[in-house]
Amino acid sequence: MSHISVRQAEIAAEQAHVDVVYARVEEMRAEARDMRRKGDQLAHGARNEAIFEQASMLFERDVMVRHANQILRSLDAEHEGLVFGRLDTTDDETMYVGRLGIRDANFDNLVTDWRAPAAAAFYQATAEQPMNVVRRRVIRSTGQNVVDIDDDLLAPEKQPEGMAVVGEGALMASLTRARGDRMRDIVATIQKEQDEAIRAPWRGITEITGGPGTGKTAVALHRVAYLLYRDRRRMGGSGVLVIGPSPAFTSYISRVLPSMGEDTVELRSLGEVLDGATATGMDSPEVTRVKGSLRMRRVLKRALRAAPPGAPDELRITFRGEVLRLDERELAKVRRQVHSKARPPNQSRVDAAEALLEALWRQAEGRPGMAHDELVTELGERIDFHRFVVVWWPILTENEVLGWLADRDRLADAAGRSLSPAEVDLLADSWAAGTGPTVGDIALLDELRVLLGPPPKRHRRRTAAREAELRAYGEAGDAPVYRRAAHYDEYSHIVVDEAQDLSPMQWRMVGRRGRYASWTIVGDPVQSSWPDPAEAESARTSALGARTTRRRFTLGTNYRNSAEIFELAAQVVTDVSTPDQLPNAVRSTGVKPAVRAVGPAELVAAVLPEARTLLSEVDGTVGVITSTGRLAEVRAALSVGSDVDEARLSVVDGLEAKGLEYDAVVLVEPTELVTESTTGPRTLYVALTRATQRLTVLTTDPSWPA
Ligand SMILES: Nc1ncnc2c1ncn2[C@@H]1O[C@H](COP(=O)(O)OP(=O)(O)OP(=O)(O)O)[C@@H](O)[C@H]1O
């Protein structure tokens, strides 16, 4: 047979199996719908039964309906390539690997779930250690149609007669495909070093480091899918949280888990970790640095202890014909005394009232007709006294307290010697600008929330049991509504991506979400935009606990950039990295990055034609990356060319580019990315490593990158 007809024959054989699988999926769908119907009938029946029977029937109904819904959800997930792999072993066994485990009506395996232990060989077998695998086959499909196959022969000496081997490399084929605006899953082509990190035990802290494009994000997300599959009860019930640097990033990765049938994982950017707040704006690097520093804890603590703006500075009250008075100094003393108790301020109003009454007694003591207990009881019940307490010791929100600090004098008082006068100016200006909380403010607000304590509860409308139930299942029962209590801190697993950029204050905020969590921490120190890694490291250790099990995986192959693009990127970080921190980019396109020198007046005008050229050269996305200061100007220049395909073109600054990727990139004035940031070369490195195929650098410096 010719080469082509062997391939066609093999594709046809795989199509036959895939057809059987899809037919079975249809049957399973019908069975699940039937189960759900029965569950509903059971519930209907229960309404007519005695109460105690009702409870058990409702429980049974819940279990049935939930189970049926879970099956339907995973069957309904986007199943492009439901079956993507096949292993042929030395024992003449054949195993298909796919996104779901599927058995036929006789319980024989049609497809093994990629996360099952039996499927591990699909990712881990190598020619050196074939793990009983003779041939590994990747099956590529469009919808339900097999379009191509690709084989690795791992044990040629065991190849039986008639076993065909076709293809040129599924990984390379997948890497050269055009990118869309969302990241895709990589289940079919996970590499061995990646698989080890994905399948690592759930306990403790799993660190995944590696250079740009090594698949850290992809691996972390597949790890989540793996952990949920292996331990759904533990992981799914308490929930999994994935934290990324920006909303652009969380949107970019948002499809990966649903495409694997997992739609219960929460994705949040750093500006959204605190419930009720959404921040996207970034401060300047200088301000970010101060806001992120642990010194802010002391500043915030002191800020809380000051009298709130507008609080009365005198208490005057008449008791038994005598005027009792506490002046500003005495009131300040009482305030200090109440704050010195361990209770948070929002829980201390009763303490404050008691301390005020004691201070009033000290005024009254010795005067005729005064008795301690009478004064305390009678004044304590008086409405004018209550009115005073409410305004003198108000229940505060974190936003109010941060708002106070826009006042430079107040901030300087709170800062004491923790901040320099220049730092005080920087922060006061940033808050006085009134543009709403920035991403850096969110960690401060969260800190204040904890320092203030919860406001006193008047009524508990829901019982604790009801709360717990709502947390676990959502109110609707069958739809997956994953509403958790505000400031939920019991996630079972938390993934922190681009972890190298978290400030110490952000580590504290993130650490609070996982009191009992295990962690996957993903990052690359060379891409860090945080200036003091040692401080961040120690904050991270105290946030996550130093003694827990730690395991570390380092990924060494850059799957994103062409070798030509990465060669240029590596040049800019030679001074801030060691050779072992730089990955190996193995895919060569033969196209070197274009570096174009232009005059300063032509710089911005040159962006549109370059973007147009790249849009015509690649099938997928084009990113324009510029300094933050130039973002608006470049966006305006690009909107002039209304003929460009906006779905394929985006404009971001160096920080927003974190974690994203495009088929082609226009990088505008690289030196500005360096000078604008306190960790310049690292930010530039991020920008230079976003493109998979083409990179054009526009610079006004003819000698760049020298
Ligand atoms: N085994 C693989 N098979 C196919 N594609 C892969 C594989 N590993 C990684 N990729 C692809 O390489 C690209 C880079 O992956 P990813 O974004 O996860 O890298 P990263 O290490 O997080 O990068 P960065 O640190 O630059 O953000 C993605 O398009 C991803 O799909």
Side-chain angles (χ1 to χ4, degrees):
M1 258 200 281
S2 74
H3 211 61
I4 296 198
S5 52
V6 171
R7 177 188 288 267
Q8 291 311 336
E10 294 294 313
I11 290 178
E14 300 308 0
Q15 182 71 58
H17 186 75
V18 167
D19 290 345
V20 172
V21 170
Y22 277 107
R24 176 67 187 138
V25 166
E26 265 321 303
E27 273 173 33
M28 288 166 70
R29 241 193 218 117
E31 283 166 15
R33 283 201 203 102
D34 203 39
M35 192 196 311
R36 188 162 62 179
R37 210 171 15 251
K38 287 211 180 93
D40 285 340
Q41 279 164 2
L42 208 59
H44 190 70
R47 273 182 221 124
N48 307 323
E49 303 294 328
I51 298 293
F52 67 94
E53 273 169 333
Q54 210 181 65
S56 76
M57 283 174 93
L58 279 176
F59 180 71
E60 205 177 319
R61 176 255 156 172
D62 268 7
V63 171
M64 270 173 100
V65 171
R66 213 170 300 131
H67 186 57
N69 280 327
Q70 176 146 6
I71 294 174
L72 282 171
R73 269 208 303 283
S74 55
L75 291 176
D76 290 343
E78 302 162 39
H79 279 145
E80 178 106 341
L82 172 52
V83 185
F84 57 75
R86 164 178 168 157
L87 291 181
D88 292 276
T89 67
T90 48
D91 323 319
D92 281 341
E93 300 267 338
T94 298
M95 177 174 81
Y96 283 90
V97 182
R99 291 162 184 280
L100 291 176
I102 295 180
R103 289 169 189 271
D104 65 16
N106 301 321
F107 285 97
D108 287 330
N109 248 348
L110 289 176
V111 188
T112 301
D113 192 298
W114 67 276
R115 295 161 286 197
F122 184 74
Y123 303 109
Q124 289 168 6
T126 61
E128 295 77 48
Q129 284 185 327
M131 301 171 79
N132 279 344
V133 177
V134 180
R135 183 183 67 181
R136 169 177 39 219
R137 168 167 286 178
V138 175
I139 300 170
R140 193 150 72 77
S141 306
T142 303
Q144 302 191 3
N145 297 321
V146 177
V147 292
D148 209 354
I149 52 177
D150 196 275
D151 293 333
D152 274 331
L153 190 60
L154 300 179
E157 69 292 353
K158 307 248 172 75
Q159 182 181 10
E161 205 159 315
M163 178 186 272
V165 176
V166 290
E168 287 90 35
L171 176 65
M172 281 302 163
S174 140
L175 296 181
T176 45
R177 237 178 292 151
R179 305 305 207 259
D181 62 347
R182 300 277 194 279
M183 188 182 211
R184 289 186 297 238
D185 71 62
I186 59 165
V187 273
T189 52
I190 292 169
Q191 299 299 292
K192 187 172 190 298
E193 65 169 9
Q194 299 177 323
D195 189 66
E196 283 160 7
I198 291 172
R199 285 175 205 259
W202 65 270
R203 252 177 236 289
I205 302 172
T206 302
E207 277 180 80
I208 303 174
T209 64
T214 51
K216 297 182 298 294
T217 300
V219 165
L221 295 173
H222 287 69
R223 177 168 166 71
V224 166
Y226 171 80
L227 294 176
L228 280 165
Y229 171 82
R230 292 307 300 274
D231 206 349
R232 189 165 302 280
R233 191 180 293 243
R234 183 196 325 264
M235 295 291 158
S238 315
V240 177
L241 173 65
V242 175
I243 297 175
S246 63
F249 177 83
T250 42
S251 152
Y252 170 62
I253 65 168
S254 62
R255 295 284 287 282
V256 177
L257 283 161
S259 79
M260 293 185 273
E262 297 300 349
D263 53 6
T264 62
V265 175
E266 269 184 62
L267 304 184
R268 295 195 188 206
S269 69
L270 279 171
E272 299 164 328
V273 172
L274 172 64
D275 285 319
T278 308
T280 51
M282 300 294 290
D283 293 296
S284 70
E286 297 74 34
V287 173
T288 302
R289 183 185 209 158
V290 186
K291 287 185 180 174
S293 149
L294 284 183
R295 291 177 293 155
M296 287 309 291
R297 279 169 68 196
R298 289 199 294 274
V299 178
L300 297 177
K301 261 191 181 157
R302 271 198 297 261
L304 280 181
R305 291 173 175 226
D313 52 14
E314 183 188 40
L315 168 59
R316 204 182 255 278
I317 199 158
T318 318
F319 182 67
R320 306 228 163 129
E322 295 271 350
V323 176
L324 304 177
R325 178 172 172 267
L326 298 178
D327 64 14
E328 191 171 359
R329 216 168 51 84
E330 278 154 324
L331 284 175
K333 207 165 113 195
V334 175
R335 192 177 287 283
R336 276 198 301 280
Q337 187 193 335
V338 181
H339 278 299
S340 68
K341 296 189 179 165
R343 243 196 290 263
N346 279 349
Q347 302 276 303
S348 302
R349 193 183 259 173
V350 174
D351 295 340
E354 282 170 6
L356 286 170
L357 291 170
E358 289 306 325
L360 288 171
W361 166 246
R362 285 194 291 278
Q363 300 290 316
E365 201 172 5
R367 298 195 204 178
M370 296 286 182
H372 173 268
D373 292 358
E374 285 166 19
L375 179 141
V376 167
T377 314
E378 285 179 36
L379 278 187
E381 286 172 359
R382 281 246 303 265
I383 189 76
D384 50 348
F385 178 72
H386 271 266
R387 284 207 187 106
F388 179 86
V389 176
V390 167
V391 289
W392 187 74
W393 194 276
I395 300 304
L396 296 168
T397 66
E398 52 272 18
N399 285 298
E400 273 171 294
V401 178
L402 201 67
W404 300 348
L405 299 181
D407 174 344
R408 195 194 175 287
D409 294 338
R410 191 175 264 274
L411 176 60
D413 281 348
R417 282 205 298 261
S418 300
L419 303 179
S420 70
E423 288 173 327
V424 169
D425 287 342
L426 271 176
L427 292 197
D429 288 350
S430 108
W431 288 318
T435 43
T438 59
V439 173
D441 288 331
I442 296 298
L444 302 182
L445 289 170
D446 197 53
E447 192 80 25
L448 280 170
R449 171 183 72 82
V450 175
L451 288 172
L452 283 168
K457 282 206 175 79
R458 296 245 169 101
H459 311 287
R460 289 197 60 129
R461 274 195 224 113
R462 282 180 170 151
T463 63
R466 178 80 183 128
E467 288 275 357
E469 192 190 327
L470 286 174
R471 265 204 318 246
Y473 308 121
E475 234 154 346
D478 47 10
V481 180
Y482 294 91
R483 194 178 322 129
R484 304 190 185 281
H487 316 300
Y488 182 70
D489 59 4
E490 293 175 16
Y491 289 98
S492 56
H493 195 80
I494 301 187
V495 174
V496 184
D497 204 342
E498 305 291 347
Q500 73 279 352
D501 289 337
L502 262 64
S503 70
M505 293 304 286
Q506 284 169 332
W507 274 118
R508 289 174 61 78
M509 165 177 76
V510 166
R512 269 179 213 122
R513 274 33 188 194
R515 271 196 308 165
Y516 312 111
S518 57
W519 299 79
T520 298
I521 307 289
V522 180
D524 175 12
V526 188
Q527 295 182 60
S528 171
S529 52
W530 181 252
D532 189 347
E535 191 193 20
E537 174 71 31
S538 88
R540 168 180 142 174
T541 305
S542 45
L544 309 189
R547 280 188 301 274
T548 28
T549 330
R550 272 170 182 249
R551 59 189 80 78
R552 178 187 263 251
F553 297 89
T554 305
L555 305 178
T557 305
N558 175 346
Y559 299 99
R560 176 188 298 128
N561 308 128
S562 68
E564 292 83 356
I565 292 176
F566 190 67
E567 193 188 343
L568 173 65
Q571 281 179 42
V572 307
V573 285
T574 42
D575 295 344
V576 292
S577 65
T578 55
D580 63 304
Q581 288 177 312
L582 302 185
N584 201 3
V586 287
R587 187 173 51 88
S588 172
T589 53
V591 185
K592 284 197 175 303
V595 179
R596 302 208 197 297
V598 290
E602 288 94 57
L603 179 70
V604 173
V607 178
L608 182 57
E610 293 297 346
R612 274 211 185 100
T613 307
L614 292 178
L615 282 166
S616 69
E617 283 178 5
V618 299
D619 290 335
T621 53
V622 174
V624 174
I625 308 181
T626 170
S627 62
T628 315
R630 223 177 248 287
L631 202 54
E633 193 188 356
V634 170
R635 284 211 170 114
L638 284 174
S639 65
V640 175
S642 50
D643 58 323
V644 297
D645 181 351
E646 283 180 12
R648 289 176 58 209
L649 182 71
S650 17
V651 186
V652 291
D653 66 19
L655 291 176
E656 284 170 326
K658 291 254 158 146
L660 305 183
E661 79 180 8
Y662 306 98
D663 285 311
V665 164
V666 185
L667 173 58
V668 186
E669 196 67 315
T671 46
E672 283 180 358
L673 268 73
V674 177
T675 48
E676 188 177 68
S677 145
T678 44
T679 52
R682 298 173 193 277
T683 311
L684 178 56
Y685 180 59
V686 172
L688 286 167
T689 52
R690 296 306 103 194
T692 66
Q693 306 198 28
R694 294 277 194 282
L695 171 64
T696 300
V697 180
L698 283 173
T699 169
T700 57
D701 173 0
S703 64
W704 193 88

